[in-house]
Amino acid sequence: MSERGLNTVSFAGHVATSSQFKNLYAEGMGLVEETATYLDGPGRQAAKVLPRMASVLYAAESMRLTTRLMQMASWLLLQRAVNNGEMTRDQVLSEKSKVRLDGFNVDRAAPGWNDLPESFRDLVERSLRLQNRVALLDREMYRPQETQPFVPDNQNSVQAQLSLLQTAFSNT
């Protein structure tokens, strides 16, 4: 019998071309559009009647929100470009270095947070969840080659997680 884990499937390398990526892309671009519509319409109106602390927080958080979404949209567009053959992986790596997928976190304990419109807070929360998913996918797809151990062709970067799953299910 072969060594445990040798027949694992590479997920990260294939996700960017899968229907899963297409769904993530649609979700990300949809959230960008939804946020822009909100900030230009209902959000602008809601911001006018906020208490002073909440108004200042709204301005800061809306800038963080739009920055977060633009960074994710840039990453998604780069992945789509490489999937469509419009860019090489090396070109994407060069451009991707300009994209920031971490940070832009939210202080939910900040004075005025609970005074912010619920629909705005919902957009912020959804953008944070999407940011986490995109950052995880990015780490899996673009780990520095020099830090990865040599892995035979039939193994991949998620082998450790799959082995944990196999171990967990074999004990049930």
Side-chain angles (χ1 to χ4, degrees):
M1 182 155 218
S2 66
E3 186 179 325
R4 176 179 218 147
L6 286 181
N7 296 321
T8 58
V9 177
S10 175
F11 293 113
H14 299 289
V15 168
T17 58
S18 70
S19 62
Q20 182 184 8
F21 173 77
K22 290 174 185 150
N23 291 338
L24 181 67
Y25 180 87
E27 180 182 348
M29 293 307 180
L31 188 56
V32 167
E33 187 175 323
E34 181 183 348
T35 300
T37 300
Y38 175 82
L39 292 176
D40 265 354
R44 187 180 308 266
Q45 295 304 315
K48 290 179 181 179
V49 297
L50 289 174
R52 180 163 166 61
M53 286 300 289
S55 180
V56 171
L57 183 60
Y58 180 88
E61 289 301 330
S62 62
M63 285 192 306
R64 285 187 194 105
L65 173 61
T66 55
T67 301
R68 182 183 312 114
L69 288 171
M70 290 302 102
Q71 293 294 309
M72 285 187 292
S74 296
W75 188 91
L76 291 166
L77 288 167
L78 285 171
Q79 301 321 304
R80 189 179 75 170
V82 78
N83 293 346
N84 293 339
E86 298 163 1
M87 294 178 78
T88 66
R89 181 175 168 89
D90 287 341
Q91 288 172 318
V92 168
L93 285 170
S94 174
E95 290 300 312
K96 194 180 92 51
S97 67
K98 302 171 190 170
V99 175
R100 186 172 171 207
L101 294 173
D102 58 349
F104 310 115
N105 289 324
V106 174
D107 180 6
R108 292 168 190 88
W113 176 258
N114 291 327
D115 294 327
L116 296 175
E118 184 178 341
S119 48
F120 177 75
R121 287 182 290 157
D122 179 61
L123 289 169
V124 169
E125 295 298 336
R126 289 170 45 208
S127 73
L128 289 168
R129 287 191 302 269
L130 185 64
Q131 177 188 27
N132 287 335
R133 289 171 40 212
V134 167
L136 178 62
L137 183 57
D138 179 73
R139 283 190 299 274
E140 288 300 319
M141 291 173 62
Y142 295 103
R143 282 188 183 162
Q145 296 300 318
E146 63 274 2
T147 62
Q148 289 182 338
F150 172 75
V151 180
D153 289 342
N154 64 343
Q155 294 185 23
N156 64 66
S157 61
V158 293
Q159 179 182 357
Q161 288 85 1
L162 290 174
S163 294
L164 288 172
L165 286 171
Q166 289 171 342
T167 301
F169 286 113
S170 67
N171 291 332
T172 57

